[in-house]
């Protein structure tokens, strides 16, 4: 307990968390959160098994020396408790405070040099921040960013792109990382890095909508790479697709496409809705379900209201997947 308490109080802000009253030991609370996190990442199903194994076996002990990682773990664990007990506002308050602290520390570390010594801490924190950012706190598709002018409402997706940037920086040392094996496993599939030009193996209707020809490349068309990632997933049986392969999509999006989503470009939204539909039907994780269903419903509502007949004809798959009528 003393170790947890020391790390939680070791940053410069000296922020005190009085979560259950003045007699509560933050150390004992921290140990309870670590125990809950360990239970969360126990392998009860084959989904993300190799990733959960690293989280369970390699990160908890490391967190006792790293406030950023420790707060990220506690942010995710407390968010799960808030999800599991939605009628208890205490859990929501605690989760909000831990998420805020974890995100702030993570951003501070990103302003410092990134090396082989801190890459595992940063990669793990990035993944955990991405998970609790993805977890939906809304109950209506009308709360989606597509019906808002506040860019903060899109953070759940934008923050996922951070892992791609980190992996590019740490590539020279990745064979020394605790994440090397699970990342290799999750990217070891056909078409994982299919960057060829043209429209071969792309869905013809989506390719036509996005003006992709036989000479189109990623450099000339921002829809090309997202479709290269998406279309193979649409044709593989769901039980053979694999959850990491589907979730990899969001972390590999390029800034140009994300900017189109921010401006609510209809074709970009349609592509994202297809991926959200895959997530709805293939990834059964507590931090995934509510978000993908509500965001997919919101995009269907938005695109239907836009009135573009070509896009409306292509909405059947995402609409059925998310339950939008």
């Amino acid at each position: 307990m003393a170790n947890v308490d020391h790390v939680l109080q070791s940053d410069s802000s000296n922020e005190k968390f009085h979560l259950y009253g003045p007699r509560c030991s933050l150390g004992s609370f921290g140990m309870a959160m670590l125990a809950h996190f360990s239970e969360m990442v126990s392998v009860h199903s084959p989904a993300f098994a190799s990733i959960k194994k690293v989280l369970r076996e390699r990160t908890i002990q490391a967190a006792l020396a790293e406030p950023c990682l420790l707060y990220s773990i506690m942010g995710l664990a407390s968010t799960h408790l808030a999800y599991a007990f939605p009628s208890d506002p205490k859990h929501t308050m605690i989760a909000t405070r831990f998420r805020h602290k974890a995100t702030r520390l993570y951003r501070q570390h990103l302003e410092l040099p990134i090396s082989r010594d801190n890459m595992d801490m940063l990669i793990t924190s990035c993944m955990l921040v991405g998970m609790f950012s993805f977890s939906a706190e809304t109950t209506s598709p009308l709360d989606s960013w597509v019906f808002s002018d506040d860019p903060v409402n899109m953070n759940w997706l934008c923050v996922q792109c951070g892992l791609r940037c980190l992996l590019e920086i740490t590539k020279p040392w990745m064979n020394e990382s605790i994440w090397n094996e699970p990342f290799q496993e999750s990217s070891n599939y056909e078409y994982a890095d299919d960057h060829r030009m043209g429209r071969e193996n792309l869905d013809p209707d989506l390719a036509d909508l996005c003006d992709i020809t036989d000479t189109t490349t990623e450099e000339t068309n921002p829809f090309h790479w997202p479709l290269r990632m998406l279309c193979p997933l649409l044709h593989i049986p769901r039980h053979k697709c694999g959850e990491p392969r589907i979730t990899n999509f969001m972390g590999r999006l390029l800034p140009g496409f994300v900017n189109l989503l921010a401006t609510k470009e209809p074709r970009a939204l349609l592509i994202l809705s297809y991926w959200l539909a895959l997530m709805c039907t293939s990834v059964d994780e507590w931090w995934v379900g509510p978000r993908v269903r509500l965001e997919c419903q919101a995009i269907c509502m938005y695109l239907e209201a836009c009135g573009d007949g070509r896009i409306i004809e292509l909405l059947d798959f995402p609409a059925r997947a998310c339950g939008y009528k």
Side-chain angles (χ1 to χ4, degrees):
M1 292 184 186
N3 285 340
V4 177
D5 190 62
H6 174 75
V7 175
L8 289 173
Q9 302 294 355
S10 65
D11 65 292
S12 59
S13 67
N14 289 320
E15 182 175 348
K16 303 293 183 181
F17 282 89
H18 299 292
L19 299 172
Y20 293 102
R23 294 186 179 181
C24 173
S25 164
L26 187 55
S28 61
F29 179 81
M31 291 298 291
M33 286 293 98
L34 291 179
H36 185 69
F37 176 80
S38 180
E39 174 63 24
M40 286 170 53
V41 296
S42 294
V43 183
H44 299 301
S45 71
F48 303 103
S50 61
I51 292 175
K52 290 177 179 177
K53 185 175 187 291
V54 172
L55 288 174
R56 184 178 66 256
E57 297 180 359
R58 303 294 297 275
T59 63
I60 295 177
Q61 186 65 33
L64 296 178
E66 295 284 358
C68 178
L69 180 55
L70 184 57
Y71 271 103
S72 298
I73 287 174
M74 296 177 74
L76 185 65
S78 57
T79 297
H80 179 257
L81 285 173
Y83 167 83
F85 302 100
S87 61
D88 189 343
K90 173 186 63 183
H91 290 298
T92 300
M93 177 193 70
I94 294 171
T96 299
R97 297 173 77 175
F98 277 128
R99 288 196 300 264
H100 172 76
K101 189 65 174 291
T103 303
R104 183 162 62 83
L105 288 173
Y106 174 63
R107 288 174 176 169
Q108 290 174 358
H109 276 280
L110 290 179
E111 297 174 358
L112 301 173
I114 298 173
S115 68
R116 56 163 44 93
D117 295 328
N118 63 3
M119 66 174 176
D120 285 334
M121 183 274 291
L122 288 172
I123 290 171
T124 308
S125 296
C126 178
M127 294 170 63
L128 298 175
V129 170
M131 290 171 69
F132 66 61
S133 298
F134 199 95
S135 176
E137 295 182 358
T138 60
T139 57
S140 168
L142 295 178
D143 295 322
S144 170
W145 101 94
V146 298
F147 298 115
S148 169
D149 293 324
D150 187 353
V152 171
N153 289 341
M154 198 179 166
N155 278 354
W156 66 271
L157 180 61
C158 293
V159 74
Q160 313 302 326
C161 300
L163 184 59
R164 175 182 58 81
C165 298
L166 270 177
L167 295 183
E168 289 177 359
I169 295 172
T170 59
K171 188 175 182 179
W173 321 297
M174 185 49 60
N175 62 343
E176 303 174 37
S177 172
I178 61 175
W179 291 108
N180 186 50
E181 184 175 337
F183 284 177
Q184 291 282 356
E185 179 182 314
S186 66
S187 62
N188 185 25
Y189 55 82
E190 190 177 8
Y191 305 124
D193 287 296
D194 185 0
H195 297 281
R196 60 184 150 164
M197 73 165 58
R199 50 187 287 145
E200 185 179 359
N201 289 336
L202 298 184
D203 181 275
D205 293 326
L206 292 173
D208 288 342
L209 180 70
C210 295
D211 301 319
I212 293 176
T213 69
D214 291 336
T215 59
T216 299
T217 67
E218 297 169 20
E219 291 72 28
T220 62
N221 188 311
F223 305 110
H224 192 261
W225 173 236
L227 285 178
R228 276 272 173 242
M229 292 192 290
L230 174 70
C231 289
L233 303 177
L234 298 174
H235 302 295
I236 299 174
R238 293 292 176 269
H239 67 284
K240 294 183 179 180
C241 205
E243 292 85 351
R245 181 173 182 178
I246 298 173
T247 55
N248 277 352
F249 175 91
M250 61 180 171
R252 304 178 78 192
L253 293 175
L254 298 176
F257 184 77
V258 176
N259 290 337
L260 290 175
L261 290 173
T263 63
K264 300 161 193 173
E265 206 284 339
R267 292 173 294 179
L269 291 177
L270 181 67
I271 291 172
L272 185 66
S273 76
Y274 269 64
W275 172 72
L276 290 168
L278 287 171
M279 293 282 281
C280 283
T281 56
S282 305
V283 182
D284 184 19
E285 292 287 318
W286 67 272
W287 54 274
V288 169
R291 168 71 67 189
V292 296
R293 186 179 68 256
L294 293 176
E295 296 292 351
C296 193
Q297 289 175 355
I299 291 175
C300 289
M301 295 169 63
Y302 184 90
L303 293 178
E304 187 177 42
C306 286
D308 187 327
R310 300 176 304 162
I311 289 180
I312 291 175
E313 287 183 1
L314 295 172
L315 275 179
D316 183 60
F317 170 56
R320 282 188 291 106
C322 69
Y324 177 71
K325 299 180 181 180

